[in-house]
Amino acid sequence: MKNKIIVAIDGYSSCGKSTVAKALAKYAGYTYVDTGAMYRAVALYCMEHSIDVEAGADWNNVLPHVEIRFSLMPDGTQHTMLNGEDVEARIRTLEVGNMASRVSPIKEVRAFLVAQQQAMGIQKGIVMDGRDIGTVVFPKAELKLFMTASPEVRAQRRYDELRGKGETPVFAEVLADVNDRDYRDTHRDESPLRQADDAVVIDNSSLTPTEQMEKICRIFDDRIHR
Ligand code: DC
């Protein structure tokens, strides 16, 4: 049995990080952790409790009431639980995504979630995706991937995904949303999205999902020398 490692996957929104992270976790027999879901769960909590994020909340009193867990479903998928309730479908809307990008720059929210993420990695054998995994959460991760694709390609993927869920998005709005989110993710003061110096960059604008996975599994195998 080889030593288990930590795989940190960062990158822009809608560039397929979670698909890659899930597939790699399955390939490696590792646990997958979707940190974006944790920011989304905090966002949903704020929306449901009418917390005015921009006005600034008393975070030290709010956050202890937010309990996030991941639950493994019989079909093998992972669902996000907020205070014991399955919120997986509700956190995936455009509205919650937008609120997540407003709560994620808040220092107290990041400290609260980063501590939980670091605790999840103590045993290693984990694939975690997000924006600051290779830079802040696990700066010593043995394998760091930084994923990217053009804004148009990512907007098309998000558009298709939303349509698939029965929503009726307008492409130009989805594209504007991708650009706004990129700007906020890369320009915030707290842990802005940036490529770790030792990350392997994967631009998947013109890679098929199979080509991409083959490439990533090869990189993983090299890293663990198997
Ligand atoms: O990956 P996602 O779209 O589910 O992420 C939702 C929001 O949370 C997005 O605006 C980026 C933010 N986020 C973050 O700041 N840090 C992370 N580790 C993960 C997500």
Side-chain angles (χ1 to χ4, degrees):
M1 180 80 182
K2 298 274 182 206
N3 279 344
K4 290 189 168 180
I5 65 167
I6 290 181
V7 183
I9 304 185
D10 291 302
Y12 293 98
S13 65
S14 303
C15 59
K17 290 189 300 296
S18 66
T19 308
V20 162
K22 274 181 218 162
L24 183 58
K26 194 169 175 193
Y27 174 76
Y30 283 12
T31 303
Y32 164 58
V33 180
D34 173 1
T35 63
M38 300 171 82
Y39 288 92
R40 286 169 181 267
V42 172
L44 181 64
Y45 183 89
C46 291
M47 287 160 75
E48 288 185 334
H49 292 79
S50 308
I51 293 167
D52 185 344
V53 170
E54 258 84 38
D58 180 1
W59 293 108
N60 293 328
N61 277 322
V62 170
L63 293 170
H65 298 284
V66 180
E67 193 228 14
I68 302 165
R69 288 188 183 283
F70 293 105
S71 193
L72 193 61
M73 297 289 119
D75 67 357
T77 59
Q78 232 171 219
H79 281 198
T80 310
M81 314 292 287
L82 171 60
N83 293 328
E85 193 190 340
D86 186 338
V87 294
E88 186 56 35
R90 283 156 66 209
I91 60 167
R92 301 297 169 189
T93 63
L94 208 50
E95 202 191 357
V96 175
N98 280 331
M99 182 56 81
S101 92
R102 297 199 149 79
V103 300
S104 58
I106 298 165
K107 200 164 124 206
E108 291 86 348
V109 172
R110 299 205 75 82
F112 175 73
L113 296 180
V114 167
Q116 296 177 33
Q117 292 153 9
Q118 288 172 332
M120 292 174 196
I122 282 176
Q123 313 276 340
K124 302 213 175 188
I126 198 166
V127 180
M128 191 175 275
D129 76 354
R131 304 292 188 288
D132 58 341
I133 312 305
T135 51
V136 175
V137 181
F138 296 121
K140 294 190 175 149
E142 290 84 352
L143 174 58
K144 300 178 186 177
L145 301 175
F146 188 86
M147 297 190 44
T148 181
S150 73
E152 290 73 19
V153 166
R154 290 185 286 129
Q156 186 64 50
R157 287 179 192 154
R158 188 169 283 257
Y159 175 88
D160 294 342
E161 195 186 325
L162 291 167
R163 294 272 305 205
K165 285 183 193 145
E167 295 190 34
T168 48
V170 174
F171 182 77
E173 285 173 15
V174 178
L175 179 58
D177 206 74
V178 164
N179 284 321
D180 284 354
R181 218 176 280 195
D182 285 0
Y183 186 86
R184 284 200 294 269
D185 283 352
T186 51
H187 286 79
R188 66 183 181 215
D189 292 337
E190 289 298 322
S191 310
L193 170 64
R194 71 170 182 83
Q195 187 194 319
D197 296 337
D198 50 350
V200 180
V201 179
I202 311 278
D203 183 336
N204 63 22
S205 302
S206 56
L207 285 180
T208 67
T210 310
E211 286 166 348
Q212 168 170 260
M213 264 336 284
E214 280 171 6
K215 182 169 178 170
I216 290 172
C217 290
R218 244 189 347 261
I219 296 170
F220 175 82
D221 285 345
D222 280 353
R223 205 52 65 99
I224 62 162
H225 312 296
R226 77 173 177 188

